[in-house]
């Protein structure tokens, strides 16, 4: 993992796969309005696909990865793949462009990164094993409490 920064700008994390570097920029529309519009499109698509146990986590200010993280379950590998395909199509149709996608080979856990929103689509037992909601729901710790 590489970190890049320019004077006066926040660090941006870039993930390298092989020799190719890719960065999914935040939406060209700035601010909370773009993220809120993207979140609405994501949630609408997930509900249309009958995704289960939809959880939205506000990560704005906690991570440079995006503004929101959405965690959902599909009933089976086939359902996980269908939810992801439907979401990608809906995002493109709504003008959000192409999102970065990981994990489509297996259908156990698919990650979709739109820039503003990170969506994790899991099979229920995989979601339970990784339990990422619990990790992101941990209370913020003040520097004074860390010894």
């Amino acid at each position: 993992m590489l970190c890049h920064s320019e004077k006066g700008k926040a660090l941006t994390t870039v993930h390298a796969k092989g020799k190719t570097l890719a960065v999914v920029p935040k939406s060209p529309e700035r601010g909370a309005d773009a993220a809120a519009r993207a979140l609405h499109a994501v949630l609408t698509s997930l509900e249309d696909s009958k995704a289960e146990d939809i959880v939205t986590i506000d990560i704005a200010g906690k991570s440079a990865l995006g503004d929101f993280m959405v965690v959902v379950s599909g009933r089976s590998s086939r359902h996980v793949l269908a939810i992801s395909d439907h979401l990608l199509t809906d995002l493109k149709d709504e003008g959000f462009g192409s999102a970065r996608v990981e994990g489509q080979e297996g259908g156990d856990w698919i990650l979709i990164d739109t820039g503003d929103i990170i969506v994790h689509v899991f099979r229920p037992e995989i979601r339970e094993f990784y339990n990422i909601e619990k990790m992101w729901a941990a209370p913020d710790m003040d520097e004074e409490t860390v010894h």
Side-chain angles (χ1 to χ4, degrees):
M1 184 162 51
L2 302 171
C3 290
H4 298 282
S5 69
E6 294 177 24
K7 189 172 182 176
K9 292 188 178 183
L11 291 175
T12 303
T13 303
V14 180
H15 298 278
K17 186 174 185 179
K19 294 183 181 180
T20 306
L21 293 178
V23 175
V24 178
K26 287 194 159 202
S27 172
E29 299 175 44
R30 301 313 274 164
D33 290 344
R37 195 170 76 80
L39 180 62
H40 177 73
V42 165
L43 295 175
T44 300
S45 177
L46 294 172
E47 289 171 7
D48 287 349
S49 298
K50 308 292 188 233
E52 299 178 346
D53 301 320
I54 301 170
V55 175
T56 301
I57 303 166
D58 184 346
I59 61 171
K62 296 179 184 176
S63 173
L65 298 175
D67 292 330
F68 295 98
M69 183 177 295
V70 179
V71 183
V72 304
S73 295
R75 293 179 299 277
S76 64
S77 294
R78 181 175 278 177
H79 190 214
V80 167
L81 288 165
I83 291 167
S84 300
D85 288 344
H86 186 248
L87 177 57
L88 290 167
T89 300
D90 286 350
L91 288 171
K92 200 170 220 175
D93 291 349
E94 291 290 324
F96 291 103
S98 297
R100 186 160 181 230
V101 183
E102 298 287 335
Q104 283 184 306
E105 316 77 46
D108 290 333
W109 176 6
I110 298 177
L111 181 137
I112 300 170
D113 184 351
T114 71
D116 290 325
I117 315 292
I118 300 164
V119 182
H120 297 271
V121 185
F122 287 103
R123 279 192 308 115
E125 53 275 8
I126 304 299
R127 180 177 180 173
E128 185 177 331
F129 178 80
Y130 286 102
N131 201 4
I132 63 173
E133 294 107 313
K134 185 175 182 181
M135 177 179 64
W136 282 96
D140 293 331
M141 297 177 69
D142 291 337
E143 289 180 21
E144 297 170 7
T145 62
V146 179
H147 298 286

